[in-house]
């Protein structure tokens, strides 16, 4: 029976018994989401596990017998069986291809460096799957992401994970306030991944020692070029490697093999100073190279902004923030200058190298762990 309003909230923030609280857990088959599901099941929640069939490595690479997502689905199902809660597999391959994979390929083709994991969270997991959870009459949806949801004076806030080495806030900046109200992240407060694996061992989960995935899920072994060539054969069209004055230095076998800031593998020898990829011109099929100094950038145009601050972004001409321009870099002090509700210019106090269109620029409160949202870096 539901508890009265004077009863303390349960661990998911509802004033009722865990048994009366239904939670859908997004299960990838990995240790993180498996621990979330097992932990909530042990606490007595009405858990429903859902795994999304998003891709097929064999189809992506056009290879017979290539490993597919079946192992992860099997692992998620085993966890559900061992903990005694229902588990469902939903076929989202067409949705995933339209919403994530096609844009990934087109972005590379246009000379950008995309981050498909962000689009997947935004367009599939926190959109379609979240709606499925509502259809199942769940009170909330929980995931294994390392990020924290904290209650503030104006409602739930998004905060970086306690373990900076595992923090996934860069990939979740586009979470909307409405989604944040419904989502839960039970692992965000843990001090380390070792603590997660200890919980997996405690629950005797078969995935307790399963290695972490290192690559984009539909790009096995990090071979971006093979996937993009299959989806967009023209991406492998050859072209010229030129310096900033337009002088041809070498030929390339497709701009998909290059990223901003790259130094190795350019095939340019005999030069006194090292050259780096400073720009990709998809229309001309040119890889432009220059000295390292040309990689330094202070002003970043940002679009498609999702703002999570308490006051509207346009309510101030300038916002002192810290920004992260790649998932592997720490936040840097900056000034955010809004242009519209979804556009802004970010000025870094210290120039950063290798900033690339297609990457995300995520905004943080410089004085706390809170995320103020973020947007996509566009060509200046």
């Amino acid at each position: 029976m539901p508890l009265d309003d004077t009863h303390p909230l349960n661990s998911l923030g509802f004033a009722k018994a865990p048994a009366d609280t239904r939670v859908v857990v997004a299960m990838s088959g990995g240790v993180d989401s498996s621990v979330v599901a097992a932990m909530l099941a042990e606490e007595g929640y009405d858990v429903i596990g859902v795994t999304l069939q998003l891709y097929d490595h064999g189809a992506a690479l056009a290879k017979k017998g290539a490993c597919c997502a079946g192992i992860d689905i099997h692992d998620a199902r085993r966890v559900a069986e061992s903990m005694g809660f229902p588990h469902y597999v939903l076929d989202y391959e067409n949705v995933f291809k339209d919403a994530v994979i096609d844009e990934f390929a087109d972005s590379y083709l246009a000379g950008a460096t995309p981050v498909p994991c962000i689009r997947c969270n935004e367009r599939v997991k926190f959109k379609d799957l979240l709606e499925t959870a509502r259809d199942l009459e769940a009170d909330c949806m929980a995931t294994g992401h390392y990020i924290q949801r904290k209650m503030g004076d104006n409602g739930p806030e998004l905060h970086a994970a306690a373990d900076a080495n595992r923090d996934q806030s860069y990939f979740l900046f586009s979470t909307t306030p409405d989604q944040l109200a419904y989502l839960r992240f039970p692992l965000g407060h843990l001090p380390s991944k070792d603590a997660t694996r200890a919980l997996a061992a405690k629950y005797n989960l078969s995935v307790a020692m399963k290695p972490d995935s290192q690559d984009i899920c539909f790009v096995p072994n990090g071979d971006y070029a093979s996937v993009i060539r299959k989806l967009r054969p023209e991406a492998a069209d050859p072209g010229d490697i030129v310096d900033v004055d337009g002088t041809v230095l070498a030929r390339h076998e497709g701009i998909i093999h290059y990223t901003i800031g790259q130094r190795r593998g350019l095939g340019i020898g005999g030069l006194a100073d090292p050259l780096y990829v400073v720009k990709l011109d998809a229309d001309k099929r040119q890889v432009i190279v220059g000295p390292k100094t040309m990689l330094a950038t202070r002003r970043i145009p940002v679009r498609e902004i999702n703002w999570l601050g308490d006051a509207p972004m346009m309510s101030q001409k300038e916002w002192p923030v810290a920004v992260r321009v790649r998932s592997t870099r720490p936040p840097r002090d900056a000034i955010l200058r809004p242009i519209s509700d979804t556009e802004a210019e970010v000025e870094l106090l210290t120039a950063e190298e290798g900033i690339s269109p297609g990457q995300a620029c995520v905004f943080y409160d410089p004085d706390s762990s809170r995320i103020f949202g973020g947007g996509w870096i566009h060509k200046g």
Side-chain angles (χ1 to χ4, degrees):
M1 293 292 292
L3 305 176
D4 61 49
D5 292 339
T6 63
H7 193 280
L9 301 180
N10 62 33
S11 63
L12 293 178
F14 299 98
K16 53 185 176 180
D20 297 314
T21 306
R22 175 169 292 176
V23 52
V24 164
V25 179
M27 299 183 68
S28 67
V31 63
D32 299 324
S33 58
S34 295
V35 165
V36 168
M39 180 168 58
L40 294 176
E42 187 192 55
E43 290 181 32
Y45 286 98
D46 178 12
V47 172
I48 299 175
V50 175
T51 301
L52 301 183
Q53 168 72 44
L54 296 176
Y55 61 93
D56 185 318
H57 282 167
L61 292 174
K63 290 182 180 178
K64 292 183 179 180
C67 177
C68 69
I71 294 174
D72 292 332
I73 292 172
H74 174 71
D75 287 343
R77 183 177 291 120
R78 286 180 65 189
V79 169
E81 289 175 352
S82 69
M83 297 301 298
F85 58 83
H87 173 257
Y88 301 99
V89 179
L90 304 181
D91 184 354
Y92 273 47
E93 282 196 40
N94 289 335
V95 172
F96 187 68
K97 183 179 184 302
D98 292 343
V100 179
I101 295 180
D102 283 344
E103 183 185 75
F104 170 81
D106 289 339
S107 294
Y108 258 105
L109 202 59
T113 307
V115 191
C117 298
I118 297 175
R119 289 302 197 193
C120 180
N121 290 325
E122 173 187 316
R123 297 175 174 177
V124 182
K125 293 178 182 176
F126 291 177
K127 182 176 178 287
D128 293 335
L129 178 55
L130 191 144
E131 288 306 312
T132 297
R134 294 187 191 276
D135 291 342
L136 291 170
E137 300 182 342
D139 294 283
C140 64
M141 187 174 89
T143 79
H145 289 106
Y146 287 88
I147 196 167
Q148 299 187 81
R149 174 188 183 274
K150 297 183 178 182
M151 291 304 296
D153 293 338
N154 295 285
E157 301 172 352
L158 203 61
H159 286 254
D163 179 6
N165 293 323
R166 304 297 304 182
D167 176 54
Q168 292 176 292
S169 57
Y170 183 83
F171 301 100
L172 297 170
F173 78 84
S174 60
T175 305
T176 67
D178 181 62
Q179 292 167 346
L180 188 56
Y182 193 70
L183 289 163
R184 301 294 187 274
F185 308 107
L187 302 184
H189 69 286
L190 294 181
S192 68
K193 183 60 177 271
D194 289 342
T196 304
R197 293 198 183 277
L199 286 171
K202 170 188 173 183
Y203 301 130
N204 295 313
L205 301 183
S206 57
V207 296
M209 299 310 296
K210 186 175 181 177
D212 292 338
S213 175
Q214 300 297 323
D215 300 312
I216 295 170
C217 67
F218 60 91
V219 185
N221 304 316
D223 190 354
Y224 298 84
S226 293
V227 173
I228 297 168
R229 273 198 304 268
K230 171 65 169 58
L231 296 166
R232 304 287 187 273
E234 66 272 27
D237 288 348
D240 293 325
I241 299 177
V242 303
D243 64 17
V244 293
D245 296 319
T247 302
V248 176
L249 302 177
R251 294 283 287 173
H252 67 73
E253 298 301 320
I255 63 172
I256 58 173
H257 298 287
Y258 301 88
T259 58
I260 303 297
Q262 180 176 334
R263 175 186 173 187
R264 299 179 183 277
L266 300 181
I268 304 172
L271 299 176
D273 298 314
L275 294 177
Y276 299 77
V277 176
V278 297
K279 185 179 179 181
L280 298 170
D281 190 327
D283 293 334
K284 296 181 180 179
R285 299 201 301 275
Q286 287 184 338
V287 175
I288 298 96
V289 297
K292 189 175 184 180
T293 53
M294 292 191 65
L295 290 172
T297 303
R298 286 190 61 191
R299 295 183 182 274
I300 309 171
V302 184
R303 304 291 184 266
E304 297 181 61
I305 290 173
N306 177 58
W307 180 251
L308 295 173
D310 293 331
M313 186 175 69
M314 290 292 289
S315 66
Q316 293 183 198
K317 291 183 178 181
E318 295 185 346
W319 293 86
V321 293
V323 301
R324 178 174 279 161
V325 294
R326 283 188 185 270
S327 62
T328 54
R329 297 184 185 177
R332 304 294 189 188
D333 289 337
I335 300 296
L336 172 69
R337 296 188 177 94
I339 297 172
S340 72
D341 289 335
T342 59
E343 300 173 289
E345 181 183 77
V346 169
E347 181 181 357
L348 299 166
L349 300 193
T350 303
E352 284 270 310
E353 295 177 351
I355 294 173
S356 174
Q359 294 282 306
C361 181
V362 181
F363 317 141
Y364 297 82
D365 180 352
D367 300 317
S368 75
S369 61
R370 186 176 179 184
I371 295 103
F372 282 150
W376 296 94
I377 300 172
H378 278 232
K379 294 180 181 179

